[in-house]
Amino acid sequence: MNTSGTDTRAFKASMRTQWDAAAAGWDTHSPALRAWLRTSTEAMIAMAGVVAGSRVLDVAAGAGDQTLDLAERVGPSGAVVATDLSTAIIARARDRVRRAGFDHVQCRVADGEDLQVEEASFDAVVCRLGLMLFPDALQGLREMRRALRPGGGVCTIVFSGPERNPCLRILMGTALRHAGRPAPDPFAAGSLFSLARPGHIDALFHEAGFRDVATTAVDASFPMPSVDDYLAFVRSSASPILQILSGLGEEAANAAWDDIREQLRAFDTPAGWEGPNELLLTAARRPG
Ligand SMILES: C[S@@+](CC[C@H](N)C(=O)[O-])C[C@H]1O[C@@H](n2cnc3c(N)ncnc32)[C@H](O)[C@@H]1O
């Protein structure tokens, strides 16, 4: 991406609009998301060093699924601040927090590249499946480091590469082909695979001033009762794909979805459907 101020502002405005539109779908599918991401979320919380009484910042928190886990873990003697670029999706998080009766959680709108939090005010920072969507991930990491107290821990989750995430590759590639758009650089800033090149995310963490940086690849295959259940999730929540197809008429969009469905049936199993998926968990520490 050209990173001029105007391009970045337009990119973020479009990102906000997309996630405002996908907020209800992401929230409604939280039971499936929760099952898909359970193991990696537990690992993320542990790797960031979150314990009872911690003060935790949850960046790009979405509809707050991992926020609720954090709230449980820190307990009433701790605190969680959940932030997101999208007003509609963070409103969903706020609602879930209220329904869970957690008084020690705040939900706010904030760009991850400009968090608007006090320096050194958190013991831990987490970011689940958000950082790769930032146009300037390095600036996002600098903000996380600034928010952390010296010695505090961070853990982020991003997608690993297209070869390890064939469903995402099929979704992106097929949507682009039907939209008549050339395939962009798969590792372009702000895209699903932007932080997937080997060593890239570690280098960014180091450049942002973190130490004890370590990345672990975690298998996170996505089980669903059927390919149609997976497609129902994608069609209501996967904003990058929806954005690509948004310019097509109904017939052309349906043809794209039929093509996607046919390819995704490669992951039918005797028990239902299971999409292979791999995530990168990166943990680090602000120097003490
Ligand atoms: C794939 S969702 C993940 C949400 C949540 N963390 C989860 O795992 O359920 C990505 C989220 O990143 C947010 N996001 C994208 N760019 C952002 C930015 N620059 N600052 C803050 N949030 C951002 C989106 O609004 C969206 O809620």
Side-chain angles (χ1 to χ4, degrees), residues 55-67:
R55 187 170 160 76
V56 185
L57 177 63
D58 184 4
V59 177
D65 181 58
Q66 71 290 307
T67 313

Side-chain angles (χ1 to χ4, degrees), residues 94-200:
R94 192 175 295 118
D95 198 42
R96 289 175 76 183
V97 163
R98 185 185 50 73
R99 278 185 277 127
F102 290 130
D103 293 333
H104 57 300
V105 181
Q106 278 180 39
C107 298
R108 301 180 194 159
V109 175
D111 180 351
E113 295 177 14
D114 180 16
L115 286 165
Q116 305 283 330
V117 296
E118 228 176 278
E119 155 104 33
S121 52
F122 292 91
D123 301 306
V125 177
V126 301
C127 182
R128 188 179 88 174
L129 292 181
L131 185 64
M132 70 272 171
L133 300 176
F134 294 11
D136 187 349
L138 175 59
Q139 173 58 23
L141 288 171
R142 287 191 169 124
E143 274 293 89
M144 292 182 200
R145 187 188 53 92
R146 192 183 63 74
L148 274 176
R149 64 163 169 76
V154 59
C155 187
T156 64
I157 301 183
V158 300
F159 288 115
S160 66
E163 71 293 348
R164 310 293 296 168
N165 289 290
C167 299
L168 296 182
R169 195 187 60 216
I170 289 168
L171 287 165
M172 289 298 286
T174 312
L176 285 164
R177 185 159 44 76
H178 279 262
R181 283 170 43 181
D185 171 4
F187 303 115
S191 69
L192 291 175
F193 299 128
S194 68
L195 301 175
R197 266 181 292 129
H200 181 49

Side-chain angles (χ1 to χ4, degrees), residues 12 15 19 26 33 37 59-63 65-66 83-86 89 110-113 128-130 132-135:
K12 285 186 186 164
M15 181 71 70
W19 283 100
W26 197 261
L33 285 166
L37 297 170
V59 177
D65 181 58
Q66 71 290 307
T83 60
D84 199 280
L85 188 64
S86 154
I89 207 164
D111 180 351
E113 295 177 14
R128 188 179 88 174
L129 292 181
M132 70 272 171
L133 300 176
F134 294 11

